[in-house]
Amino acid sequence: MSPRTKTQFETIREEKRSLIMETALEHFAGEGYHKTTITHLAKHAGISKGLMYNYFESKEALLSAIIDKSMSEIAEYFDPDKDGILTEDEFELFVRRYFKVIRDKVKFWRLYFQLMLQKEVREQFMVNYSGKPEFKVRDQNKYTIFKTDMARIISDYFTRKKERMPEDYDPLIDLNMFIYSMTGFATVTIYTETLDEKFFEKSITRIIELYK
């Protein structure tokens, strides 16, 4: 048998890394982040505890990688030209792609939502809308960076929208209602296994019509 190439080693490493993250997400969501140990995860991933630390230096780093992965998929479609300004077309693209990502990987997002509802997870990784960390973290992960940038860009979008709306238009109320609509329908999408496709598409279109 010929020795493995560098590419083969990298492929095997990435597959193992993905297996660890998938195992961790399932157990963090099911048993709780605080209660789940590295030893427990190593056993269920079928690898040694020592090898676990070869991929992730700590449980915190593992959780951060899971959050980074989820944010990377969403960030790809938010402000695609990365100029810091969200146009109406970019707004619509983001809404449609956001729900497509969730629908295509519903199991992942169901577990992810369960994970993010845990108090200790929120305390470790959340930031408020001003972008200032509410809790001490070792370093900023993609979640905090993306959420801070997203809050600023989406807030600016609704502020600019005021220019073409009636005088009594309140961008802050519209922004909050948009967030509630997105979060609410994402929850419906994740937990309704028999969601009708036409209802799904019409609901997305309606959210766009209301806030575009």
Side-chain angles (χ1 to χ4, degrees):
M1 181 182 294
S2 59
R4 291 193 178 108
T5 65
K6 182 180 178 180
T7 300
Q8 288 174 323
F9 271 115
E10 289 175 351
T11 299
I12 292 171
R13 181 173 177 81
E14 188 55 39
E15 288 175 350
K16 189 69 70 175
R17 180 181 169 86
S18 295
L19 171 64
I20 293 170
M21 289 172 64
E22 289 169 8
T23 302
L25 177 59
E26 184 173 352
H27 288 267
F28 285 164
E31 284 107 48
Y33 171 72
H34 182 69
K35 294 181 179 179
T36 304
T37 65
I38 289 291
T39 301
H40 177 89
L41 293 176
K43 176 182 177 181
H44 285 273
I47 63 176
S48 69
K49 183 178 178 180
L51 188 57
M52 281 283 290
Y53 285 113
N54 188 37
Y55 288 93
F56 300 97
E57 64 182 31
S58 65
K59 191 169 72 168
E60 179 189 73
L62 178 51
L63 177 59
S64 183
I66 292 171
I67 293 174
D68 285 354
K69 178 183 177 182
S70 67
M71 289 302 102
S72 294
E73 292 192 39
I74 294 175
E76 182 180 352
Y77 304 106
F78 185 78
D79 186 26
D81 58 8
K82 307 304 177 190
D83 64 352
I85 299 174
L86 200 64
T87 66
E88 290 183 39
D89 288 343
E90 289 172 340
F91 175 85
E92 178 172 347
L93 172 67
F94 169 66
V95 174
R96 293 194 183 281
R97 295 301 299 187
Y98 172 81
F99 286 109
K100 185 179 188 306
V101 167
I102 289 178
R103 192 77 185 271
D104 289 348
K105 299 183 178 180
V106 68
K107 181 181 178 182
F108 171 88
W109 287 99
R110 186 178 297 139
L111 291 170
Y112 183 83
F113 268 47
Q114 290 171 213
L115 173 63
M116 299 307 284
L117 286 173
Q118 296 174 32
K119 183 175 182 291
E120 61 267 27
V121 174
R122 295 198 307 273
E123 289 180 347
Q124 193 165 342
F125 287 94
M126 299 296 128
V127 295
N128 59 28
Y129 282 108
S130 70
K132 297 176 182 177
E134 295 173 333
F135 302 89
K136 292 181 180 179
V137 293
R138 187 179 55 190
D139 35 49
Q140 277 200 322
N141 52 35
K142 290 179 184 177
Y143 182 92
T144 61
I145 295 170
F146 172 63
K147 188 176 178 183
T148 300
D149 288 345
M150 181 180 182
R152 175 180 54 79
I153 294 171
I154 200 73
S155 178
D156 177 66
Y157 172 83
F158 281 95
T159 299
R160 287 186 288 107
K161 185 179 172 182
K162 184 176 175 63
E163 299 172 3
R164 51 187 170 85
M165 299 298 287
E167 190 173 332
D168 61 351
Y169 173 77
D170 188 333
L172 183 58
I173 291 178
D174 215 23
L175 169 61
N176 284 321
M177 291 306 298
F178 169 69
I179 293 171
Y180 300 151
S181 297
M182 292 286 283
T183 304
F185 192 57
T187 304
V188 170
T189 301
I190 289 168
Y191 289 104
T192 306
E193 296 184 3
T194 57
L195 190 65
D196 180 76
E197 187 66 29
K198 287 185 178 179
F199 174 79
F200 177 73
E201 293 296 337
K202 286 182 178 180
S203 297
I204 295 172
T205 298
R206 185 56 178 154
I207 289 173
I208 293 168
E209 291 173 348
L210 285 170
Y211 301 108
K212 183 177 177 180

